[in-house]
Amino acid sequence: MTNGVRAQQRQQTRDTLLRESRRLFSKLGYASVGLSEIVGAAGVTKGALYHHFDSKAELFRAVLEQVQQEVAALIAAEADVQEDPWDQFTYGCQAFLSASTDPAIQRIMLVDGPAVLGWGDWRAMNEATSGRHLAQALTVLIREGTVAPQPVAPLAHLLSSAAWTSSTCPSVVCRR
């Protein structure tokens, strides 16, 4: 067997583990999913899982990274269609809120993410993806005078927290 075929098989195994883990984590939640369920769904051994990931938490981190990258790409795609910086900002925010209403994304990214990884690690991952887009949009809005001059990082944290709260606890933000 050539190295290319082995590398392809390793990648297929990793992709299958990520896909099945994501499906299970989104449906049942991190705490309710055991490694036996994951390897059974993926059709691999625990040894194969441990070849790719040191722990269930590391596997979850990889799933979360995948979800966060997808949401960030969606936000950027929605915002980049707009020409006006304010429209880019508002469409990007709406894209985040819309994406976070998907129960699978909500559970992995907004509920289990901070709980499993801890707030600091989760926040750092968020800032590298959709948080980066938010900070860039705010920088442009401040530069053009639409938003009053102020430090971007605290404002981005505030708005990100508000969006997180509204998507995980909508009754707190919007009482009907």
Side-chain angles (χ1 to χ4, degrees), residues 31-52:
S32 296
V33 176
L35 290 179
S36 296
E37 288 175 272
I38 293 169
V39 297
V44 301
T45 64
K46 282 189 181 179
L49 184 143
Y50 285 122
H51 176 75
H52 294 279

Side-chain angles (χ1 to χ4, degrees), residues 86 140-148:
W86 180 254
V140 170
L141 292 172
I142 290 169
R143 188 178 326 124
E144 74 170 10
T146 303
V147 171

Side-chain angles (χ1 to χ4, degrees), residues 20-111:
E20 292 303 320
S21 296
R22 181 174 177 168
R23 182 180 64 77
L24 290 167
F25 290 148
S26 67
K27 182 179 177 182
L28 304 172
Y30 176 84
S32 296
V33 176
L35 290 179
S36 296
E37 288 175 272
I38 293 169
V39 297
V44 301
T45 64
K46 282 189 181 179
L49 184 143
Y50 285 122
H51 176 75
H52 294 279
F53 304 99
D54 291 336
S55 64
K56 179 179 155 186
E58 185 181 317
L59 174 59
F60 179 81
R61 177 185 292 275
V63 169
L64 176 58
E65 285 174 354
Q66 187 180 64
V67 170
Q68 285 186 323
Q69 289 169 359
E70 290 171 11
V71 170
L74 176 67
I75 291 168
E78 290 290 322
D80 290 347
V81 172
Q82 307 304 313
E83 291 193 26
D84 178 67
W86 180 254
D87 289 340
Q88 289 176 341
F89 171 73
T90 58
Y91 275 73
C93 289
Q94 184 58 49
F96 173 81
L97 292 172
S98 293
S100 66
T101 62
D102 177 333
I105 289 174
Q106 189 176 69
R107 179 181 291 265
I108 291 171
M109 191 170 84
L110 302 174
V111 176

